[in-house]
Amino acid sequence: MAPNAVSGGMAPMRNREEWLAETMLELADTLVPGFEPLPYWLGVAGRFAELTNTSVRLNATADQGTETVVACTDERLEAAALGEVLVAEGPGADCELTGDPVVDVRLDSAAESWPQLAPAALALGFRVMHAFPLRLRETSLGSVTLLGAAPDRLSEGNFRLTRSLADVATISMLQRRAVVSLTETSGQLQHALGSRVVIEQAKGLISSKLEISMEEAFKLLRSYARGRNRKLTAVAERLVDRSMTVAELLPLPAQAKPQPHGGRKPSAG
């Protein structure tokens, strides 16, 4: 629901264009070393608060979507009771489901829609609520809820900017996840390739020392690793770095049975 009034505006700030440029750069910078989701989302929430002169509660999934991060710019919104209500009902919960912003909601007339949230927020001094989804197409990271002490509507300009900030933060975090996932996959592939190389080196060494085929060398290497409950790569690495010898792979010769005196079978009775 888009705002139908142009009153209201961002909190006083040094320069709108400069602020916007800094904000977009800050929200896009998710690939820095040592990145942590909580400080990032706290910064995002702070930017929403600056722009709209409201108190902000933002909830979003963490770096790989395993946990939920909650970032608040007002200690009143950190209360467990209100937080639980905001998760269950309200514009934030609604926009997460629909993917559309919910703005200019007067709390004094919202008790029927949100019987728990409206009176709780009014009791804390809030009069109006807005919410924007952190969503890109079918992927939702959460939502950001804005609570104002005055019943002002978002200006058209601030509505568009707020929605843009939510979109930039969402895209930036999803890009980070994609890069992290790709890096992890690349590392796994590199490890697999390294393991394959060292196994091939070990096979070549066994084949050369024992004058057997590469297939027979691999069977011998695998049999040794299985018989001692060791990883194939670990055994191969020891062979390649010469911390064990090829001879150690060979099974011990069966102990000869003792023969009767003189080496002859005893004659029958």
Side-chain angles (χ1 to χ4, degrees):
M1 176 173 61
N4 53 19
V6 295
S7 61
M10 68 172 67
M13 54 183 67
R14 50 200 178 281
N15 178 283
R16 189 180 182 91
E17 289 74 20
E18 179 184 346
W19 179 91
L20 183 58
E22 288 183 359
T23 299
M24 291 303 182
L25 180 60
E26 179 182 310
L27 268 55
D29 194 14
T30 57
L31 298 178
V32 294
F35 176 87
E36 292 291 340
L38 180 56
Y40 175 78
W41 288 120
L42 281 171
V44 174
R47 291 297 185 172
F48 279 114
E50 283 184 37
L51 176 63
T52 59
N53 195 26
T54 59
S55 297
V56 176
R57 180 184 170 93
L58 182 154
N59 66 281
T61 54
D63 211 1
Q64 294 301 320
T66 56
E67 298 178 356
T68 299
V69 171
V70 177
C72 298
T73 64
D74 187 325
E75 61 182 10
R76 290 176 294 176
L77 303 180
E78 296 178 357
L82 182 58
E84 292 173 0
V85 172
L86 281 169
V87 171
E89 65 179 41
D94 289 353
C95 76
E96 282 192 47
L97 291 175
T98 65
D100 297 319
V102 180
V103 299
D104 301 335
V105 178
R106 292 283 298 263
L107 287 167
D108 55 8
S109 59
E112 184 175 346
S113 299
W114 305 317
Q116 298 181 72
L117 176 59
L122 283 168
L124 292 173
F126 298 113
R127 295 294 176 266
V128 67
M129 294 182 71
H130 322 281
F132 292 81
L134 300 170
R135 184 185 184 115
L136 178 64
R137 291 183 281 276
E138 300 304 316
T139 303
S140 175
L141 300 185
S143 63
V144 56
T145 301
L146 318 176
L147 297 94
D152 297 332
R153 295 182 176 182
L154 282 180
S155 68
E156 184 71 26
N158 279 357
F159 171 80
R160 291 177 179 174
L161 279 178
T162 305
R163 189 167 192 175
S164 295
L165 295 188
D167 290 344
V168 171
T170 302
I171 292 170
S172 299
M173 183 59 79
L174 289 176
Q175 286 179 334
R176 171 179 171 74
R177 290 187 182 182
V179 170
V180 170
S181 178
L182 182 61
T183 301
E184 290 177 349
T185 301
S186 177
Q188 292 168 356
L189 291 174
Q190 187 64 40
H191 177 73
L193 178 60
S195 298
R196 186 63 187 171
V197 168
V198 76
I199 289 173
E200 290 300 317
Q201 290 175 331
K203 284 167 55 179
L205 180 62
I206 297 168
S207 175
S208 174
K209 291 286 187 181
L210 300 181
E211 298 182 351
I212 58 178
S213 69
M214 293 288 279
E215 183 179 355
E216 291 173 321
F218 178 71
K219 289 180 179 179
L220 184 61
L221 178 64
R222 183 178 58 187
S223 176
Y224 180 90
R226 286 179 175 176
R228 290 157 181 78
N229 197 27
R230 296 180 186 175
K231 291 184 177 180
L232 191 64
T233 305
V235 177
E237 287 175 347
R238 291 193 62 202
L239 286 167
V240 171
D241 66 19
R242 302 301 194 270
S243 60
M244 72 175 290
T245 65
V246 172
E248 293 179 60
L249 298 177
L250 299 174
L252 293 175
Q255 194 173 24
K257 295 182 180 180
Q259 294 292 324
H261 181 69
R264 297 180 181 177
K265 292 184 181 181
S267 59

